[in-house]
Amino acid sequence: MNIPRFGLGTFRLKEQAVIDSVKTALDVGYRVIDTAQIYDNEAAIGQAIAESGVSRQDLFLTTKIWVDNFAQDNFAQDKFIPSLKESLQKLRTDHVDLTLIHWPAPDLGVSIPEVMKLLLEAKQQGLTKQIGISNFNIELTQQAIDTIGVEHIATNQIELSPYLQNHKLVNFLQEKNIDVTSYMTLAYGKVLQDPVLAEIAAAHKATTAQIALAWALQRGFAVIPSSTNRENLMSNLKAQDIELTSAEMQMIAELDRNSREVSPEPWAPVWD
């Protein structure tokens, strides 16, 4: 894979909550942290990393450029890269390891070719080691590929869970050798009470969260679950040690119900 398989998500965590989550995660062994400009927690994460004592060179940091910094209504070439530089300042680093376009926002008239060229420029300037996309459908991913080349697109970060398996888009990305990053893998906790996952969890002496994460890892996805609880953070990591049988993977495949948790207007594309 182009990117690490297991990291810490920080969506909806702010101020002391995100500081505590990041410091605890780093303490128990996490080395990948995923954030975004719109999360409004980059500065707190920068503080947490500084206080953790973990060396920057041992970390993999991802952030995402928010729509306001490239949407057509206020699109300006002098806005995109300065916003990333501001993110770096907040994170207390001179580069991130991965920068993503957070949402494609086609309804706002976003030009994917223009945005991807700016993203590539940020990489060429050394502000980010790798670049990628998030919440792109097949059509928009193809536009990105046509503009800057598939070799520059490390990942597409998309919502995936046992309840939203999105096979068409996943197959397209994997055929193109673009890593798939799964967010919302636990579907806001909805899958935790699933009887099928509970049955599989019992067989492995595991939790349902571990089984959902193990399923995603076994599908070849990277995952970025979030938690503020030390025990849950440690437990989630152990999903990497679980190997599901082909029968168990098939049982989970049958849970797909195209149930999407996140599709904000006007930023979301038409889903495949």
Side-chain angles (χ1 to χ4, degrees):
M1 294 185 78
N2 298 307
I3 60 172
R5 297 179 73 231
F6 208 102
L8 176 73
T10 62
F11 177 53
R12 289 187 163 180
L13 299 180
K14 293 187 181 181
E15 300 170 347
Q16 196 60 45
V18 78
I19 291 171
D20 292 344
S21 175
V22 169
K23 289 173 74 172
T24 303
L26 294 175
D27 188 51
V28 302
Y30 287 74
R31 290 297 180 265
V32 179
I33 301 169
D34 179 279
T35 183
Q37 293 173 343
I38 197 64
Y39 296 175
D40 193 27
N41 63 13
E42 290 171 318
I45 289 171
Q47 177 185 334
I49 292 169
E51 292 176 358
S52 74
V54 175
S55 171
R56 170 66 184 93
Q57 66 186 19
D58 294 331
L59 298 176
F60 188 100
L61 300 181
T62 298
T63 196
K64 311 176 198 77
I65 307 291
W66 184 242
V67 173
D68 287 354
N69 293 313
F70 58 79
Q72 200 66 38
D73 289 346
N74 42 27
F75 184 86
Q77 222 162 335
D78 60 355
K79 229 177 158 188
F80 186 97
I81 286 178
S83 81
L84 179 55
K85 289 180 177 177
E86 184 180 345
S87 292
L88 299 183
Q89 190 173 21
K90 290 175 178 176
L91 289 164
R92 307 189 190 188
T93 184
D94 61 357
H95 73 280
V96 284
D97 298 278
L98 177 64
T99 301
L100 308 177
I101 301 300
H102 202 152
W103 287 92
D107 289 349
L108 296 180
V110 169
S111 166
I112 297 302
E114 285 186 73
V115 173
M116 295 310 298
K117 287 173 186 173
L118 285 171
L119 193 58
L120 182 59
E121 185 180 328
K123 179 181 179 181
Q124 292 167 341
Q125 288 187 22
L127 303 175
T128 182
K129 288 188 175 180
Q130 298 188 77
I131 56 177
I133 52 183
S134 182
N135 299 301
F136 276 46
N137 63 12
I138 291 173
E139 178 189 355
L140 297 175
T141 301
Q142 188 63 58
Q143 283 187 38
I145 291 169
D146 292 344
T147 303
I148 65 170
V150 71
E151 69 275 11
H152 289 296
I153 303 172
T155 190
N156 187 3
Q157 185 177 124
I158 54 177
E159 182 186 345
L160 288 168
S161 77
Y163 292 166
L164 178 71
Q165 299 187 23
N166 216 338
H167 292 289
K168 190 175 179 183
L169 177 56
V170 165
N171 291 342
F172 173 82
L173 294 170
Q174 292 182 331
E175 286 168 7
K176 297 291 184 182
N177 200 31
I178 295 173
D179 286 349
V180 176
T181 302
S182 164
Y183 74 81
M184 239 33 113
T185 313
L186 307 182
Y188 278 142
K190 290 180 181 177
V191 303
L192 300 183
Q193 306 303 319
D194 188 275
V196 172
L197 294 181
E199 178 187 340
I200 296 170
H204 288 268
K205 295 184 171 61
T207 67
T208 48
Q210 287 172 338
I211 297 303
L213 293 168
W215 161 81
L217 292 168
Q218 216 156 309
R219 288 292 318 278
F221 310 155
V223 295
I224 46 170
S226 67
S227 179
T228 56
N229 179 281
R230 186 182 188 91
E231 287 70 29
N232 288 345
L233 286 164
M234 294 173 67
S235 176
N236 287 347
L237 276 178
K238 293 176 183 175
Q240 298 173 95
D241 302 324
I242 295 172
E243 186 170 344
L244 301 173
T245 67
S246 56
E248 289 167 340
M249 290 294 286
Q250 181 58 37
M251 289 167 68
I252 298 173
E254 291 170 6
L255 296 178
D256 190 11
R257 56 190 71 170
N258 197 34
S259 177
R260 188 176 297 279
E261 301 295 329
V262 182
S263 187
E265 295 181 358
W267 307 309
V270 175
W271 301 110
D272 297 299

